[in-house]
């Protein structure tokens, strides 16, 4: 089974703007797949616009777990106004009017002091996953990391690097920790205190940084695991902090790294 | 949120886009006797080479369904937004019709290649025979050419430039027409909801191709060079034409804009095609939804507006599910309306019973949807999101209903009045916080309260106590201007304050019972039955509100303060000077003790230290004295709040007694 790099993205604030809001910017409760692509590329030092294919839906697998309940706060921020009439003044570096934009911030809820998103990443090319894990373990991210906005600096810490410990086949009831692509849900099993939410978020870029079709995701609001029957397999990892079961945003993991298989057959 | 909009679009948006974007009227008179009209300006070819203007009118139905049918017939789609040229023939602004609409519409028809259409032919006749051209080339309705004498223009207006002058003149002409309508039809300006144009008795809105003009205006984003082939980021389908600029034609719901390149990828206008693209089909749904939202899912609490947007974890595209969805939406909006402002929904006790029964009835609705409360501010074309309270389960509303109902029943039993007087809903909470109107961030306090209540999140006790004290101070000083508080009728100030403070007490009780009151000290409660010598009503009240010993001591102190106040009032004081002894910023333990000692003297001075009051004073002192050696557990602000709660209870008891006496 292919290796998976498990790492935590930690920071005090976050804002992952919903692509359909800008005059009032609302945030997803978790980093969408496009933000995770950027994070991995930043750790590996891949330049902007160079990695969309390398981390595309067929090449990379991502899963994300919201580890700390998220609190939301709308704060109005001052942006520079960039209407057509302002552009000439801006070009001449003259003072221009500002524009106020309500920005929804994510903050740690409960008693936590930082937000924490646990990312599960696997690449078809095992070397990519391995390099990511090594860089994270050594604390050598190539570019600085942030949670959505450059102002919200983040740290990444490697949690583990290994293949999944257990595969739970599709159709079985699982206790899921990760965000789930809605079309992989066969049936939620609503027991106890569970508050599910559904969001449509981007998943990848195409040529020219154009957004690919977005997808709906389901997550638990209070960072609690929830039970469901899925249409895809789920993967359990025995981590130092305990067992976690996730479903990848793109579906199944590869049984083994194709690169390795090719080498072996050669 | 996007899914909620898409879902609504699929459900409420039928095939007929024009029917979907018909706008309702805002200023319908509340008086059922007063009529509200569409006035028709009918240009008639009665003499060769000339036009005559005739007036006609039709009543706009008050019944919502009939009105909707009426407005659809007359194609009322509102006015063009922002700086866009006005081109709609049914409008609430008469000066658009006397000025720019006809030339703009003719230009539009020409650009569509419809110069030869029935509509263009009629409009050209009107423009040639009834309008005059100004120096700048602008045209304005010329009443002189229609045989109607207009008022002389002031000389200084002649110097005004082109468009501005034309606009002024169009308004002057409109004023003359308004007077004529009043004379000839007997309809006053405020009774005119809409104006429209007719030609030889035929409504111009029915002439070909007026409907296409409307559609072209709203779907302008799907014409021109900006269109690309690509993926619609709403439905996710590949389409031949998707637009990044279509959103410009949204009028109400605009959380996404394309007029500032700073928001575009690469900080250039062409970068918008990398951000958010929409296909025509989805945009049509958007248009219908943005019209539907303010009419059906918009709620108001004081000066604050919010939209109710439902989310469904699982949904299907089947017609049966859509039907079910409509039913669910009706139920959810009614529930939300009731929790927003119960008093506005019901009239009497009987109706309350029926409404509650209906609201409490559960049919699995609780599991099917989550509610999002989107608080917003709409100023001109800007749509600013103030806050989003996400994922409120309808069962949470039901739970709060039940809690509020139980409290309200108890309020009536203990303090008299009607059940709805003690009901806690969003509107009541709005008036429990003193909000300064000028401060744009004041809404945050209220949203904090709503979020806590609706999502079951903790609310700071100290924050509430501080706010309640400010509220009391505001009522006692009478400085209501610039705040969200309604000025009570003269002579009713004390009663209003007492009611507010009692509501505050009940609200704290509700939060405590819900387990979301944060930062409150866990003080031992006591049994007023066994440990306090007070009358039965007060004992019941103290028991219900579950005050601890120190709180009860302050409550009694406040009650006696009211007794002194009554004494002062009856001895000729215009106000109650004893209230000046309270410091609304907070009073520490020694100040409380000092007030308790002064109170004894004052009770004697105003001859109030008799009967029950003497016992109450003794009880109050006994409870306070228990803490002489130990540390007093309440903070300075809490001290004042509980004193005021006793004062409020006393005031309410006095008012009830007076009312009873008058009744007898």
């Amino acid at each position: 089974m292919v290796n998976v790099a498990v790492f935590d993205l930690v920071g005090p604030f976050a804002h992952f703007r919903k692509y359909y809001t800008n005059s009032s910017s609302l945030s997803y409760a978790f980093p969408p797949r496009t933000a995770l692509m950027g994070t991995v590329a930043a750790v590996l030092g891949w330049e902007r616009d160079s990695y969309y294919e390398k981390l595309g839906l067929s090449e990379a697998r991502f899963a994300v777990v919201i580890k700390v309940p998220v609190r939301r706060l709308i704060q109005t921020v001052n942006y520079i106004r960039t209407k057509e009439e302002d552009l000439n003044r801006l070009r001449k570096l003259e003072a221009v009017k500002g524009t106020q934009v309500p920005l929804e911030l994510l903050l740690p809820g409960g008693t936590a002091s930082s937000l924490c998103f646990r990312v599960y990443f696997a690449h078809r090319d095992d070397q990519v996953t391995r390099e990511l894990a090594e860089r994270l373990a050594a604390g050598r991210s190539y570019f600085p990391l942030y949670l959505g906005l450059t102002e919200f600096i983040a740290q990444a810490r490697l949690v583990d690097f290994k293949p999944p410990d257990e595969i739970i086949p599709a159709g079985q009831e699982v206790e899921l920790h990760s965000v789930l692509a809605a079309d992989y849900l066969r049936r939620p099993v609503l027991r106890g205190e569970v508050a599910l939410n559904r969001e449509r978020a981007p998943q990848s870029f195409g040529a020219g940084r154009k957004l690919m079709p977005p997808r709906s995701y389901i997550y638990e609001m209070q960072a609690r695991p929830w039970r469901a029957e899925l249409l895809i397999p789920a993967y359990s990892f025995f981590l130092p902090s305990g067992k976690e079961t996730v479903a990848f945003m793109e579906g199944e993991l590869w049984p083994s790294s194709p690169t390795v298989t090719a080498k072996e057959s050669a | 949120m996007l899914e909620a909009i898409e879902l609504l679009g699929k459900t409420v948006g039928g095939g007929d886009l024009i029917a979907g974007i018909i706008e309702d009227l805002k200023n319908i008179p509340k008086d059922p006797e007063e009529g509200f009209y569409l006035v028709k300006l009918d240009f008639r070819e009665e003499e060769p080479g000339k036009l005559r203007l005739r007036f006609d009118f039709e009543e706009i139905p008050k019944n919502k369904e009939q009105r909707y049918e009426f407005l659809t017939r007359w194609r009322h789609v509102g006015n063009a937004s922002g700086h866009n040229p006005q081109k709609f023939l049914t409008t609430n602004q008469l000066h658009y019709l006397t000025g720019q609409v006809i030339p703009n519409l003719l230009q539009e028809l020409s650009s569509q290649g419809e110069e030869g259409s029935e509509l263009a032919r009629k409009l050209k006749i009107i423009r040639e025979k009834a309008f005059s051209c100004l120096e700048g080339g602008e045209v304005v309705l010329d009443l002189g050419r229609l045989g109607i004498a207009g008022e002389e223009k002031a000389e200084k207006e002649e110097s005004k430039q082109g468009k501005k002058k034309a606009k002024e003149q169009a308004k002057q002409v409109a004023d003359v027409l308004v007077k004529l309508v009043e004379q000839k039809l007997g309809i006053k300006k405020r009774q005119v909801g809409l104006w429209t144009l007719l030609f030889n008795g035929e409504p111009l809105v029915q002439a070909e191709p007026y409907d296409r003009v409307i559609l072209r205006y709203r779907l302008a984003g799907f014409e021109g060079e900006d269109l690309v082939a690509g993926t619609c980021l709403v439905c996710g389908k590949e389409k031949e034409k998707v637009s990044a600029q279509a959103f410009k034609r949204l009028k109400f719901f605009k959380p996404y804009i394309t007029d500032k390149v700073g928001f575009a990828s690469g900080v250039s206008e062409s970068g918008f095609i990398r951000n958010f693209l929409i296909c025509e089909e989805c945009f049509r749904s958007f248009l219908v939804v943005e019209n539907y939202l303010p009419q059906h899912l918009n709620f108001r609490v004081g000066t604050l507006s919010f939209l109710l947007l439902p989310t469904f974890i699982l949904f299907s595209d089947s017609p049966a599910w859509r039907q079910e969805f409509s039913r669910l939406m009706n139920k959810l909006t009614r529930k939300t309306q009731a929790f927003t402002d119960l008093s506005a929904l019901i009239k009497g006790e009987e109706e309350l019973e029926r409404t509650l029964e209906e609201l409490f009835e559960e049919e699995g609705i609780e599991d099917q949807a989550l509610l999002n409360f989107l608080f917003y501010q709409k100023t001109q074309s800007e749509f600013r999101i103030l806050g989003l309270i996400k994922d409120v389960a309808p069962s949470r509303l039901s739970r709060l209903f039940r809690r509020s109902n139980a409290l309200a029943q108890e309020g009536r039993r203990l303090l008299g009045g009607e059940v709805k007087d003690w009901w806690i809903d969003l509107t009541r909470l709005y008036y429990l916080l003193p909000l300064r109107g000028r401060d744009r961030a004041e809404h945050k306090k209220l949203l904090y309260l709503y979020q806590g209540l609706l999502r079951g999140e903790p609310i700071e006790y100290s924050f509430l106590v501080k706010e309640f004290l400010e509220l009391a101070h505001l009522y006692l000083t009478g400085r209501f201007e610039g705040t969200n508080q309604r000025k009570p009728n003269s002579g009713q100030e004390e009663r209003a304050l007492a009611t507010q403070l009692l509501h505050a007490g009940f609200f704290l009780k509700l939060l405590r019972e819900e387990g979301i009151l944060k930062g409150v000290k866990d003080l031992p409660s006591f049994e007023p039955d066994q440990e306090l010598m007070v009358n039965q009503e007060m004992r019941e009240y103290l028991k219900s509100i579950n005050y601890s010993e120190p709180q009860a001591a302050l409550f009694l102190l406040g009650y006696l303060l009211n007794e002194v106040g009554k004494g002062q009032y009856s001895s000729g004081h215009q106000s109650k000077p004893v209230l000046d002894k309270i410091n609304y910023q907070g009073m520490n333990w020694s100040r409380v003790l000092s007030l308790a000692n002064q109170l004894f003297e004052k009770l004697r001075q105003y001859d109030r230290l008799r009967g029950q009051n003497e016992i109450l004073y003794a009880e109050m002192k006994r409870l306070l004295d228990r803490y002489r050696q130990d540390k007093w557990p309440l903070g300075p602000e809490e001290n004042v709040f509980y004193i005021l709660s006793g004062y409020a209870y006393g005031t309410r008891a006095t008012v009830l007694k007076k009312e009873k006496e008058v009744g007898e």
Side-chain angles (χ1 to χ4, degrees), chain A residues 17-27 48 72-76 79-84 87 99-102 104 182 185-188 190 195-200 205 208-216 218-219 221-222, chain B residues 1-3 6 228-229 231-236 238 254-263 265-267 269 272-277 311-315 367 370 374 382-388 390-391 440 444 451 455 457:
Chain A
R17 185 171 67 79
K18 292 183 180 177
Y19 69 93
Y20 51 89
T21 64
N22 60 14
S23 64
S24 293
S25 298
L26 301 178
S27 174
R48 181 188 163 97
R72 291 166 188 268
L73 173 78
I74 290 192
Q75 188 68 44
T76 304
Y79 283 179
I80 292 172
R81 204 180 75 167
T82 51
K83 280 191 167 189
E84 208 176 337
L87 300 182
T99 183
Q100 293 199 319
V101 174
E104 190 178 37
L185 177 69
R186 176 185 278 176
R187 185 175 73 90
L190 299 170
L196 297 181
N197 190 20
R198 191 179 163 118
E199 291 277 16
R200 186 165 303 176
F205 293 109
R209 207 185 168 82
K210 275 190 192 168
L211 274 183
M212 303 277 280
R215 205 167 188 185
S216 292
I218 295 174
Y219 64 95
M221 298 287 298
Q222 295 301 314
Chain B
M1 193 167 81
L2 186 66
E3 289 200 322
E6 193 190 352
V228 287
T231 312
C232 169
L233 295 175
V234 179
C235 63
E238 283 291 321
K254 297 171 83 170
Y256 185 79
I257 53 168
T258 51
D259 66 343
K260 297 183 186 93
V261 293
F263 288 119
S265 173
V267 200
E269 193 150 344
F272 279 116
I273 62 167
R274 293 195 286 269
N275 293 19
F276 186 16
L277 295 163
T311 314
F312 293 81
I313 300 298
L314 295 172
F315 53 83
D367 302 329
L370 287 174
L374 183 81
E382 184 192 35
F383 183 89
R384 177 179 289 241
I385 296 176
L386 300 177
L388 178 62
K390 282 170 77 79
D391 311 305
R440 291 180 76 179
K444 287 189 177 174
Q451 167 129 349
R455 290 191 37 82
E457 291 172 2

Side-chain angles (χ1 to χ4, degrees), chain B residues 344-547:
Chain B
L345 201 71
I346 52 157
K347 289 193 178 75
E349 294 279 305
E350 235 175 73
E351 207 175 336
L352 174 73
E353 292 287 317
R354 269 204 311 276
T355 311
L356 290 180
E357 218 166 274
E358 175 205 328
L359 293 171
F360 288 161
E361 185 194 349
E362 286 172 13
E363 14 168 348
I365 192 173
E366 276 65 19
D367 302 329
Q368 295 180 44
L370 287 174
L371 307 175
N372 298 311
F373 295 75
L374 183 81
F375 288 84
Y376 70 91
Q377 196 173 45
K378 181 84 182 151
T379 28
Q380 291 169 338
S381 63
E382 184 192 35
F383 183 89
R384 177 179 289 241
I385 296 176
L386 300 177
L388 178 62
I389 302 178
K390 282 170 77 79
D391 311 305
V392 177
S395 60
R396 175 82 195 158
L397 285 188
S398 303
R399 185 189 162 113
L400 291 172
F401 268 130
R402 289 204 173 83
R403 187 78 76 189
S404 190
N405 184 38
L407 271 183
Q409 301 284 358
E410 207 166 335
R412 181 175 64 169
R413 183 174 65 84
L414 297 167
L415 300 165
E418 292 181 33
V419 171
K420 68 174 183 177
D421 295 342
W422 305 106
W423 185 273
I424 286 173
D425 55 23
L426 298 185
T427 303
R428 178 134 299 152
L429 295 184
Y430 174 84
Y431 290 109
L432 271 187
L433 294 187
L435 307 175
R436 286 178 299 275
R438 284 186 202 131
D439 189 341
R440 291 180 76 179
E442 284 285 277
H443 65 267
K444 287 189 177 174
K445 291 183 191 169
L446 198 65
L447 294 188
Y448 167 71
L449 209 62
Y450 288 173
Q451 167 129 349
L453 195 66
L454 290 168
R455 290 191 37 82
E457 291 172 2
I459 297 173
E460 278 285 348
Y461 168 66
S462 55
F463 159 78
L464 287 176
V465 168
K466 200 164 168 251
E467 290 299 317
F468 295 154
L469 286 196
E470 254 190 59
L471 183 76
H473 194 213
L474 199 135
Y475 270 79
L476 286 166
T477 52
R479 291 183 193 146
F480 295 100
E481 226 166 90
T483 73
N484 66 331
Q485 299 296 322
R486 292 175 287 206
K487 194 177 176 194
N489 294 336
S490 178
Q492 294 290 311
E493 293 87 350
E494 262 191 64
R495 183 188 179 144
L497 169 64
T499 311
Q500 289 283 59
L501 287 166
L502 292 166
H503 283 153
F506 277 124
F507 180 53
L508 287 176
K509 179 177 159 72
L510 184 145
L511 296 181
R512 220 170 25 237
E513 286 173 355
E514 276 295 304
I516 53 173
L517 196 60
K518 185 179 157 192
V520 61
K521 281 186 208 113
D522 196 15
L523 298 175
S525 58
F526 75 120
E527 275 296 324
D529 276 358
Q530 297 152 17
E531 299 177 28
L532 210 57
M533 285 170 59
V534 295
N535 64 30
Q536 186 59 23
E537 286 90 8
M538 193 184 282
R539 182 171 290 145
E540 288 279 312
Y541 182 77
L542 286 171
K543 200 173 170 182
S544 157
I545 212 98
N546 201 20
Y547 278 171

Side-chain angles (χ1 to χ4, degrees), chain A residues 234-249:
Chain A
Y235 302 88
S236 291
F237 293 80
F238 297 106
L239 303 173
S241 55
K243 182 183 167 186
E244 258 179 15
T245 303
V246 302
F248 286 91
M249 289 171 163

Side-chain angles (χ1 to χ4, degrees), chain B residues 554-594:
Chain B
L554 296 173
F555 174 89
L556 294 180
L557 201 161
Y559 183 86
L560 293 170
L561 204 71
N562 177 60
E563 289 294 306
V564 173
K566 270 158 61 183
Q568 288 177 331
Y569 192 75
S570 42
S571 67
H573 283 283
Q574 288 304 307
S575 62
K576 294 178 176 175
V578 70
L579 290 176
D580 297 339
K581 296 195 177 295
I582 293 179
N583 180 356
Y584 295 91
Q585 308 297 317
M587 290 165 74
N588 59 23
W589 166 234
S590 58
R591 293 283 304 273
V592 171
L593 273 188
S594 155

Side-chain angles (χ1 to χ4, degrees), chain A residues 134-160:
Chain A
E134 281 168 9
R135 281 190 164 274
L136 291 174
R140 284 190 304 116
S141 172
Y142 194 94
F143 295 117
L145 302 178
Y146 53 86
L147 295 177
L149 294 184
T150 49
E151 288 81 356
F152 302 155
I153 291 292
Q155 287 183 330
R157 300 176 195 140
L158 186 73
V159 176
D160 218 333

